[in-house]
Amino acid sequence: MARIAPDALAALCAEVFGLDLDRERLEVLAPQLEVVLAEIKRSRELDLAAVSPAVVFDPLCVYPPGENDG
Amino acid sequence: MTAEDIATWPIEALAPRLRDGELSAATLVEAVLERIAGYDGDLKAYRELSSGAVQAARAADREIAQGRYRGPLHGIPVALKDNFLTADMPSCLGVDLPPQTFPRRDAVAVRRLREAGAIIIGKTQMHGFAWGIVTPPTRNPWDRDRVPGGSSGGSAAAVVAGLCGAALGSDTGGSVRIPASLCGCVGFKPTYGLIDKDGIVTHSWSLDVVGPLARTVGDAALMLEALAGPGYAAALGQPIDGLRIGVCRQHFFDRNAPEVQNAVETAVAHLAGRWAALVEVELPHLPYGLGAILAIELASCTAGQAGLLRRGMQKRMPEDVRTLLELGAFVSGADYLRAEQVRRLLMEDFRTAFAVADVIITPTTPVTAWPHGETNVPIGDGQESILSAAWRLTYPFNLAGLPAITLPCGFDSRGLPIGLQIAGKPHAENTVLSLAHAYEEAHDWTHRRPDLA
């Protein structure tokens, strides 16, 4: 984030994240985001190719029990 | 019995007296309201009281007199964390938003409590949007200069101070168990999905759990029955001889305040000595757990409150709440899904552990209640940030969706309560409750009351 110009970053936040964050607000968020991202990024060192996410798509989730018995 | 006495009694003692007509619900509710008037100006556990509580209590008395007794919660005053939607009171979630921001209807859990005959006393203070561990402006009943914990801090303070018979909270990373531990009551986070959470303003879809806070394990079981169905209170007497207690030294016992460590080790030794066998277990992927829950919780909460963010309403919130709501936008989709993959690995770790252990026991929080305004706490030879320390021992069980209870296991040299956490595999509520009940019966920690004078 430190390498992106503040105005460009604000525009990115508005366009991509839907958040109105001016330069001052970004300066407040930056150090805390750095701490949070440091923890989140730790999982990037793991080989997770063979691991399915814990939350998966269930095509039956909108059907009450018994309604779609095939 | 005086009005002061009955307001502090557990449900287990009140229920038979209400059922048999020795005590009226109106008398009980008026006693609690009198106690709130006397103490809550200082404790600040409540945000709003229900104007219909006395009327509801009188209706309960008429039903009981007519032989229409609904069960142990009939006539019991119960408090609700302010993220439970209610038809008769606004929900403000601990932030300064217009009172009409959230719908006026009863959450499913609230409806079930009313159907069980409980009297809703009011809405308790919570940390804004369930994003915190302090719950301003509520104070800890054991020491007003210290925090009650959060985010269900108002509910915990109300239970311990006798300002309700029991309370509801929500637990996403520890928000029932942390304040219950710091305030010295029982707090139960059941298996994810056991209690219908429809009508709680969503914080994180795959983490939020409804949980009761109560004065005893038996009371928590009675609340659970009203919320999830029968079978929990009866299980309290089930045999626990031969249970295998799992202890994970890594993460849970490697960085705690000495008095917390000693109290929990003593409790574990007591349980292992009397009833159970001790087993060492490992959870190899725990080091990645914090990053996983941060990604999931931040992204979920930001997505869930997209409407508020679109209207810029986060600018009206306290700085800590606003920051967390905005940070969630920066969690990438790829990192979110990686977090769900890590979550599955941690669930597999727990599954392996539960193949050799029936429960896992840990401290609930690594420290006791800290002073208002502190951002760091001394642990061992160093300092740790409150944000890091407070939920370190509770969030792993949220990630894996496991049932976990906290109950008092002692007090430190400042007279502050220490919490013991007992967790089980999915839907093993009865095992967790039985062991907690056995420990509670052998000690008097839950009988102690703070001096509120």
Side-chain angles (χ1 to χ4, degrees), chain B residues 118-134:
Chain B
I119 310 300
I120 305 302
I121 285 286
K123 308 292 281 296
T124 56
Q125 296 282 5
M126 60 180 283
H127 203 110
F129 261 96
W131 256 132
I133 35 132
V134 176

Side-chain angles (χ1 to χ4, degrees), chain B residues 117-448:
Chain B
I119 310 300
I120 305 302
I121 285 286
K123 308 292 281 296
T124 56
Q125 296 282 5
M126 60 180 283
H127 203 110
F129 261 96
W131 256 132
I133 35 132
V134 176
T135 314
T138 307
R139 297 172 174 181
N140 193 305
W142 295 93
D143 182 338
R144 310 291 199 287
D145 293 330
R146 294 178 185 262
V147 303
S151 59
S152 309
S155 286
V159 167
V160 170
L163 308 188
C164 63
L168 281 190
S170 65
D171 194 312
T172 300
S175 290
V176 162
R177 290 161 291 156
I178 293 168
S181 175
L182 299 185
C183 290
C185 67
V186 174
F188 193 21
K189 182 199 82 66
T191 304
Y192 176 85
L194 181 69
I195 301 175
D196 193 326
K197 58 190 173 88
D198 178 63
I200 299 181
V201 177
T202 300
H203 178 93
S204 302
W205 290 286
S206 71
L207 292 165
D208 295 342
V209 173
V210 173
L213 296 96
R215 289 197 260 281
T216 67
V217 174
D219 284 4
L222 291 174
M223 288 283 283
L224 190 62
E225 293 203 338
L227 296 164
Y232 299 104
L236 296 181
Q238 79 181 25
I240 58 169
D241 292 343
L243 273 186
R244 302 163 299 171
I245 295 178
V247 173
C248 178
R249 294 282 163 198
Q250 152 226 9
H251 187 91
F252 293 105
F253 286 90
D254 59 0
R255 204 163 76 247
N256 299 315
E259 288 183 280
V260 170
Q261 183 91 346
N262 290 341
V264 173
E265 295 276 19
T266 300
V268 171
H270 167 90
L271 289 167
R274 276 189 76 167
W275 295 292
L278 208 56
V279 179
E280 299 277 334
V281 297
E282 292 182 353
L283 301 167
H285 293 94
L286 259 181
Y288 303 96
L290 180 58
I293 196 167
L294 281 172
I296 294 169
E297 191 173 354
L298 285 168
S300 300
C301 194
T302 300
Q305 300 307 326
L308 292 182
L309 288 165
R310 197 166 48 244
R311 287 175 275 164
M313 295 182 85
Q314 76 276 15
K315 297 172 186 175
R316 299 174 57 154
M317 299 180 189
E319 176 60 27
D320 60 334
V321 179
R322 177 183 176 182
T323 295
L324 289 165
L325 275 173
E326 291 172 339
L327 284 181
F330 293 89
V331 177
S332 73
D335 277 332
Y336 175 87
L337 284 167
R338 290 185 70 81
E340 290 290 356
Q341 290 174 295
V342 168
R343 184 180 208 171
R344 182 176 283 271
L345 290 176
L346 188 57
M347 290 163 68
E348 291 284 357
D349 288 350
F350 274 112
R351 182 184 170 197
T352 301
F354 283 122
V356 298
D358 298 295
V359 296
I360 293 175
I361 294 187
T362 81
T364 309
T365 53
V367 295
T368 54
W370 55 90
H372 288 288
E374 290 290 332
T375 55
N376 292 291
V377 283
I379 298 182
D381 296 330
Q383 296 265 323
E384 185 174 352
S385 82
I386 294 291
L387 288 177
S388 167
W391 70 330
R392 173 156 46 82
L393 309 181
T394 52
Y395 77 73
F397 304 102
N398 295 85
L399 267 177
L402 303 175
I405 196 169
T406 183
L407 67 161
C409 68
F411 290 77
D412 72 6
S413 53
R414 287 176 290 232
L416 299 167
I418 297 169
L420 177 74
Q421 177 170 241
I422 302 173
K425 55 187 171 184
H427 297 294
E429 275 75 9
N430 283 343
T431 302
V432 169
L433 286 166
S434 301
L435 190 62
H437 180 69
Y439 176 82
E440 181 186 70
E441 290 278 283
H443 299 83
D444 73 344
W445 307 124
T446 51
H447 298 154
R448 298 196 189 182

